[in-house]
PDB file of all heavy atoms in Angstrom:
ATOM      1  N   LYS B  53      11.294   7.450 -15.492  1.00  0.00           N
ATOM      2  CA  LYS B  53      12.521   6.762 -15.879  1.00  0.00           C
ATOM      3  C   LYS B  53      12.941   7.207 -17.314  1.00  0.00           C
ATOM      4  O   LYS B  53      12.114   7.385 -18.179  1.00  0.00           O
ATOM      5  CB  LYS B  53      12.347   5.254 -15.774  1.00  0.00           C
ATOM      6  CG  LYS B  53      12.453   4.749 -14.427  1.00  0.00           C
ATOM      7  CD  LYS B  53      12.328   3.246 -14.421  1.00  0.00           C
ATOM      8  CE  LYS B  53      12.302   2.692 -12.994  1.00  0.00           C
ATOM      9  NZ  LYS B  53      11.915   1.293 -12.953  1.00  0.00           N
ATOM     10  N   ASP B  54      14.275   7.254 -17.472  1.00  0.00           N
ATOM     11  CA  ASP B  54      14.827   7.459 -18.826  1.00  0.00           C
ATOM     12  C   ASP B  54      14.572   6.230 -19.596  1.00  0.00           C
ATOM     13  O   ASP B  54      14.957   5.104 -19.172  1.00  0.00           O
ATOM     14  CB  ASP B  54      16.269   7.792 -18.685  1.00  0.00           C
ATOM     15  CG  ASP B  54      16.834   8.274 -20.000  1.00  0.00           C
ATOM     16  OD1 ASP B  54      16.562   7.693 -21.019  1.00  0.00           O
ATOM     17  OD2 ASP B  54      17.532   9.301 -19.984  1.00  0.00           O
ATOM     18  N   LYS B  55      13.936   6.313 -20.757  1.00  0.00           N
ATOM     19  CA  LYS B  55      13.583   5.163 -21.549  1.00  0.00           C
ATOM     20  C   LYS B  55      14.842   4.389 -21.982  1.00  0.00           C
ATOM     21  O   LYS B  55      14.847   3.147 -22.128  1.00  0.00           O
ATOM     22  CB  LYS B  55      12.756   5.553 -22.773  1.00  0.00           C
ATOM     23  CG  LYS B  55      11.285   5.535 -22.379  1.00  0.00           C
ATOM     24  CD  LYS B  55      10.437   5.830 -23.609  1.00  0.00           C
ATOM     25  CE  LYS B  55       9.017   6.070 -23.137  1.00  0.00           C
ATOM     26  NZ  LYS B  55       8.204   6.902 -24.074  1.00  0.00           N
ATOM     27  N   LYS B  56      15.916   5.085 -22.317  1.00  0.00           N
ATOM     28  CA  LYS B  56      17.156   4.455 -22.852  1.00  0.00           C
ATOM     29  C   LYS B  56      17.896   3.769 -21.740  1.00  0.00           C
ATOM     30  O   LYS B  56      18.378   2.661 -21.905  1.00  0.00           O
ATOM     31  CB  LYS B  56      17.996   5.486 -23.549  1.00  0.00           C
ATOM     32  CG  LYS B  56      17.450   5.860 -24.907  1.00  0.00           C
ATOM     33  CD  LYS B  56      18.306   6.974 -25.529  1.00  0.00           C
ATOM     34  CE  LYS B  56      17.601   7.568 -26.718  1.00  0.00           C
ATOM     35  NZ  LYS B  56      18.129   8.839 -27.137  1.00  0.00           N
ATOM     36  N   THR B  57      18.151   4.408 -20.647  1.00  0.00           N
ATOM     37  CA  THR B  57      18.990   3.888 -19.587  1.00  0.00           C
ATOM     38  C   THR B  57      18.297   3.143 -18.466  1.00  0.00           C
ATOM     39  O   THR B  57      18.859   2.378 -17.765  1.00  0.00           O
ATOM     40  CB  THR B  57      19.863   5.015 -18.951  1.00  0.00           C
ATOM     41  OG1 THR B  57      18.943   5.906 -18.342  1.00  0.00           O
ATOM     42  CG2 THR B  57      20.638   5.804 -19.993  1.00  0.00           C
ATOM     43  N   GLY B  58      16.938   3.445 -18.383  1.00  0.00           N
ATOM     44  CA  GLY B  58      16.166   2.828 -17.339  1.00  0.00           C
ATOM     45  C   GLY B  58      16.407   3.438 -15.942  1.00  0.00           C
ATOM     46  O   GLY B  58      15.858   2.975 -14.982  1.00  0.00           O
ATOM     47  N   LYS B  59      17.223   4.480 -15.943  1.00  0.00           N
ATOM     48  CA  LYS B  59      17.493   5.128 -14.692  1.00  0.00           C
ATOM     49  C   LYS B  59      16.404   6.177 -14.385  1.00  0.00           C
ATOM     50  O   LYS B  59      15.858   6.845 -15.356  1.00  0.00           O
ATOM     51  CB  LYS B  59      18.874   5.831 -14.688  1.00  0.00           C
ATOM     52  CG  LYS B  59      20.012   4.822 -14.475  1.00  0.00           C
ATOM     53  CD  LYS B  59      21.304   5.605 -14.450  1.00  0.00           C
ATOM     54  CE  LYS B  59      22.478   4.609 -14.324  1.00  0.00           C
ATOM     55  NZ  LYS B  59      23.738   5.288 -14.605  1.00  0.00           N
ATOM     56  N   VAL B  60      16.139   6.422 -13.116  1.00  0.00           N
ATOM     57  CA  VAL B  60      15.175   7.455 -12.762  1.00  0.00           C
ATOM     58  C   VAL B  60      15.744   8.833 -13.019  1.00  0.00           C
ATOM     59  O   VAL B  60      16.909   9.082 -12.625  1.00  0.00           O
ATOM     60  CB  VAL B  60      14.776   7.270 -11.302  1.00  0.00           C
ATOM     61  CG1 VAL B  60      13.868   8.444 -10.881  1.00  0.00           C
ATOM     62  CG2 VAL B  60      14.049   6.017 -11.089  1.00  0.00           C
ATOM     63  N   ILE B  61      14.983   9.641 -13.678  1.00  0.00           N
ATOM     64  CA  ILE B  61      15.406  11.026 -13.912  1.00  0.00           C
ATOM     65  C   ILE B  61      15.170  11.777 -12.642  1.00  0.00           C
ATOM     66  O   ILE B  61      14.031  11.799 -12.092  1.00  0.00           O
ATOM     67  CB  ILE B  61      14.602  11.676 -15.059  1.00  0.00           C
ATOM     68  CG1 ILE B  61      14.813  10.876 -16.316  1.00  0.00           C
ATOM     69  CG2 ILE B  61      14.967  13.096 -15.195  1.00  0.00           C
ATOM     70  CD1 ILE B  61      13.882  11.297 -17.427  1.00  0.00           C
ATOM     71  N   PRO B  62      16.215  12.383 -12.074  1.00  0.00           N
ATOM     72  CA  PRO B  62      15.987  13.104 -10.733  1.00  0.00           C
ATOM     73  C   PRO B  62      15.042  14.188 -10.850  1.00  0.00           C
ATOM     74  O   PRO B  62      14.909  14.868 -11.883  1.00  0.00           O
ATOM     75  CB  PRO B  62      17.405  13.562 -10.350  1.00  0.00           C
ATOM     76  CG  PRO B  62      18.245  13.449 -11.588  1.00  0.00           C
ATOM     77  CD  PRO B  62      17.568  12.480 -12.502  1.00  0.00           C
ATOM     78  N   ALA B  63      14.415  14.501  -9.734  1.00  0.00           N
ATOM     79  CA  ALA B  63      13.435  15.533  -9.680  1.00  0.00           C
ATOM     80  C   ALA B  63      14.113  16.890 -10.013  1.00  0.00           C
ATOM     81  O   ALA B  63      15.161  17.127  -9.567  1.00  0.00           O
ATOM     82  CB  ALA B  63      12.772  15.630  -8.267  1.00  0.00           C
ATOM     83  N   HIS B  64      13.466  17.636 -10.805  1.00  0.00           N
ATOM     84  CA  HIS B  64      13.984  18.936 -11.198  1.00  0.00           C
ATOM     85  C   HIS B  64      12.759  19.806 -11.550  1.00  0.00           C
ATOM     86  O   HIS B  64      12.116  19.680 -12.604  1.00  0.00           O
ATOM     87  CB  HIS B  64      14.919  18.776 -12.454  1.00  0.00           C
ATOM     88  CG  HIS B  64      15.592  20.000 -12.800  1.00  0.00           C
ATOM     89  ND1 HIS B  64      16.189  20.248 -13.997  1.00  0.00           N
ATOM     90  CD2 HIS B  64      15.840  21.154 -12.124  1.00  0.00           C
ATOM     91  CE1 HIS B  64      16.756  21.455 -14.076  1.00  0.00           C
ATOM     92  NE2 HIS B  64      16.510  22.025 -12.931  1.00  0.00           N
ATOM     93  N   PHE B  65      12.405  20.705 -10.606  1.00  0.00           N
ATOM     94  CA  PHE B  65      11.143  21.452 -10.818  1.00  0.00           C
ATOM     95  C   PHE B  65      11.289  22.829 -10.215  1.00  0.00           C
ATOM     96  O   PHE B  65      12.083  23.037  -9.285  1.00  0.00           O
ATOM     97  CB  PHE B  65       9.933  20.711 -10.333  1.00  0.00           C
ATOM     98  CG  PHE B  65      10.026  20.373  -8.850  1.00  0.00           C
ATOM     99  CD1 PHE B  65       9.599  21.205  -7.894  1.00  0.00           C
ATOM    100  CD2 PHE B  65      10.641  19.140  -8.458  1.00  0.00           C
ATOM    101  CE1 PHE B  65       9.640  20.869  -6.523  1.00  0.00           C
ATOM    102  CE2 PHE B  65      10.762  18.824  -7.133  1.00  0.00           C
ATOM    103  CZ  PHE B  65      10.235  19.690  -6.146  1.00  0.00           C
ATOM    104  N   ILE B  66      10.561  23.764 -10.761  1.00  0.00           N
ATOM    105  CA  ILE B  66      10.536  25.116 -10.172  1.00  0.00           C
ATOM    106  C   ILE B  66       9.802  25.101  -8.852  1.00  0.00           C
ATOM    107  O   ILE B  66       8.739  24.511  -8.721  1.00  0.00           O
ATOM    108  CB  ILE B  66       9.821  26.036 -11.193  1.00  0.00           C
ATOM    109  CG1 ILE B  66      10.612  26.181 -12.500  1.00  0.00           C
ATOM    110  CG2 ILE B  66       9.624  27.478 -10.543  1.00  0.00           C
ATOM    111  CD1 ILE B  66       9.956  27.029 -13.542  1.00  0.00           C
ATOM    112  N   GLN B  67      10.403  25.719  -7.862  1.00  0.00           N
ATOM    113  CA  GLN B  67       9.812  25.739  -6.500  1.00  0.00           C
ATOM    114  C   GLN B  67       9.082  27.095  -6.207  1.00  0.00           C
ATOM    115  O   GLN B  67       8.111  27.113  -5.480  1.00  0.00           O
ATOM    116  CB  GLN B  67      10.842  25.435  -5.442  1.00  0.00           C
ATOM    117  CG  GLN B  67      11.249  23.995  -5.460  1.00  0.00           C
ATOM    118  CD  GLN B  67      12.146  23.671  -4.316  1.00  0.00           C
ATOM    119  OE1 GLN B  67      13.137  24.371  -4.032  1.00  0.00           O
ATOM    120  NE2 GLN B  67      11.898  22.620  -3.559  1.00  0.00           N
ATOM    121  N   GLU B  68       9.671  28.143  -6.680  1.00  0.00           N
ATOM    122  CA  GLU B  68       9.151  29.402  -6.318  1.00  0.00           C
ATOM    123  C   GLU B  68       9.183  30.368  -7.538  1.00  0.00           C
ATOM    124  O   GLU B  68      10.209  30.465  -8.174  1.00  0.00           O
ATOM    125  CB  GLU B  68      10.002  29.970  -5.190  1.00  0.00           C
ATOM    126  CG  GLU B  68       9.324  31.132  -4.514  1.00  0.00           C
ATOM    127  CD  GLU B  68      10.148  31.617  -3.301  1.00  0.00           C
ATOM    128  OE1 GLU B  68      10.359  30.874  -2.355  1.00  0.00           O
ATOM    129  OE2 GLU B  68      10.583  32.796  -3.315  1.00  0.00           O
ATOM    130  N   VAL B  69       8.117  30.999  -7.736  1.00  0.00           N
ATOM    131  CA  VAL B  69       7.972  32.010  -8.817  1.00  0.00           C
ATOM    132  C   VAL B  69       7.562  33.334  -8.154  1.00  0.00           C
ATOM    133  O   VAL B  69       6.545  33.376  -7.495  1.00  0.00           O
ATOM    134  CB  VAL B  69       6.985  31.648  -9.890  1.00  0.00           C
ATOM    135  CG1 VAL B  69       7.100  32.592 -11.074  1.00  0.00           C
ATOM    136  CG2 VAL B  69       7.212  30.216 -10.386  1.00  0.00           C
ATOM    137  N   LYS B  70       8.385  34.358  -8.360  1.00  0.00           N
ATOM    138  CA  LYS B  70       8.081  35.625  -7.780  1.00  0.00           C
ATOM    139  C   LYS B  70       7.627  36.570  -8.960  1.00  0.00           C
ATOM    140  O   LYS B  70       8.287  36.657  -9.962  1.00  0.00           O
ATOM    141  CB  LYS B  70       9.290  36.253  -7.062  1.00  0.00           C
ATOM    142  CG  LYS B  70       9.471  35.771  -5.681  1.00  0.00           C
ATOM    143  CD  LYS B  70      10.568  36.514  -5.017  1.00  0.00           C
ATOM    144  CE  LYS B  70      10.848  35.830  -3.672  1.00  0.00           C
ATOM    145  NZ  LYS B  70      12.112  36.308  -3.119  1.00  0.00           N
ATOM    146  N   CYS B  71       6.562  37.259  -8.707  1.00  0.00           N
ATOM    147  CA  CYS B  71       6.034  38.189  -9.696  1.00  0.00           C
ATOM    148  C   CYS B  71       5.986  39.593  -8.993  1.00  0.00           C
ATOM    149  O   CYS B  71       5.373  39.816  -7.979  1.00  0.00           O
ATOM    150  CB  CYS B  71       4.656  37.829 -10.148  1.00  0.00           C
ATOM    151  SG  CYS B  71       4.570  36.079 -10.627  1.00  0.00           S
ATOM    152  N   GLU B  72       6.632  40.499  -9.697  1.00  0.00           N
ATOM    153  CA  GLU B  72       6.708  41.918  -9.127  1.00  0.00           C
ATOM    154  C   GLU B  72       6.187  42.898 -10.147  1.00  0.00           C
ATOM    155  O   GLU B  72       6.390  42.742 -11.366  1.00  0.00           O
ATOM    156  CB  GLU B  72       8.114  42.210  -8.818  1.00  0.00           C
ATOM    157  CG  GLU B  72       8.705  41.464  -7.651  1.00  0.00           C
ATOM    158  CD  GLU B  72      10.231  41.631  -7.467  1.00  0.00           C
ATOM    159  OE1 GLU B  72      10.724  42.705  -7.717  1.00  0.00           O
ATOM    160  OE2 GLU B  72      10.790  40.590  -7.152  1.00  0.00           O
ATOM    161  N   HIS B  73       5.475  43.919  -9.649  1.00  0.00           N
ATOM    162  CA  HIS B  73       5.031  45.035 -10.443  1.00  0.00           C
ATOM    163  C   HIS B  73       5.701  46.239  -9.927  1.00  0.00           C
ATOM    164  O   HIS B  73       5.557  46.629  -8.767  1.00  0.00           O
ATOM    165  CB  HIS B  73       3.520  45.140 -10.341  1.00  0.00           C
ATOM    166  CG  HIS B  73       2.952  46.445 -10.844  1.00  0.00           C
ATOM    167  ND1 HIS B  73       2.231  47.246 -10.046  1.00  0.00           N
ATOM    168  CD2 HIS B  73       3.100  47.037 -12.001  1.00  0.00           C
ATOM    169  CE1 HIS B  73       1.867  48.357 -10.745  1.00  0.00           C
ATOM    170  NE2 HIS B  73       2.432  48.258 -11.952  1.00  0.00           N
ATOM    171  N   ASN B  74       6.509  46.900 -10.762  1.00  0.00           N
ATOM    172  CA  ASN B  74       7.315  48.067 -10.363  1.00  0.00           C
ATOM    173  C   ASN B  74       8.051  47.842  -9.050  1.00  0.00           C
ATOM    174  O   ASN B  74       8.123  48.612  -8.192  1.00  0.00           O
ATOM    175  CB  ASN B  74       6.386  49.299 -10.166  1.00  0.00           C
ATOM    176  CG  ASN B  74       6.086  49.912 -11.519  1.00  0.00           C
ATOM    177  OD1 ASN B  74       6.658  49.509 -12.574  1.00  0.00           O
ATOM    178  ND2 ASN B  74       5.158  50.859 -11.564  1.00  0.00           N
ATOM    179  N   GLY B  75       8.540  46.611  -8.886  1.00  0.00           N
ATOM    180  CA  GLY B  75       9.348  46.294  -7.706  1.00  0.00           C
ATOM    181  C   GLY B  75       8.576  45.812  -6.499  1.00  0.00           C
ATOM    182  O   GLY B  75       9.140  45.405  -5.457  1.00  0.00           O
TER     183      GLY B  75
END
Side-chain angles (χ1 to χ4, degrees):
Chain B
K53 280 182 185 170
D54 190 315
K55 272 183 189 154
K56 283 177 193 160
T57 62
K59 282 183 186 166
V60 172
I61 300 169
H64 187 197
F65 56 93
I66 295 176
Q67 286 187 312
E68 194 177 300
V69 187
K70 277 186 188 166
C71 308
E72 291 168 39
H73 165 237
N74 280 351

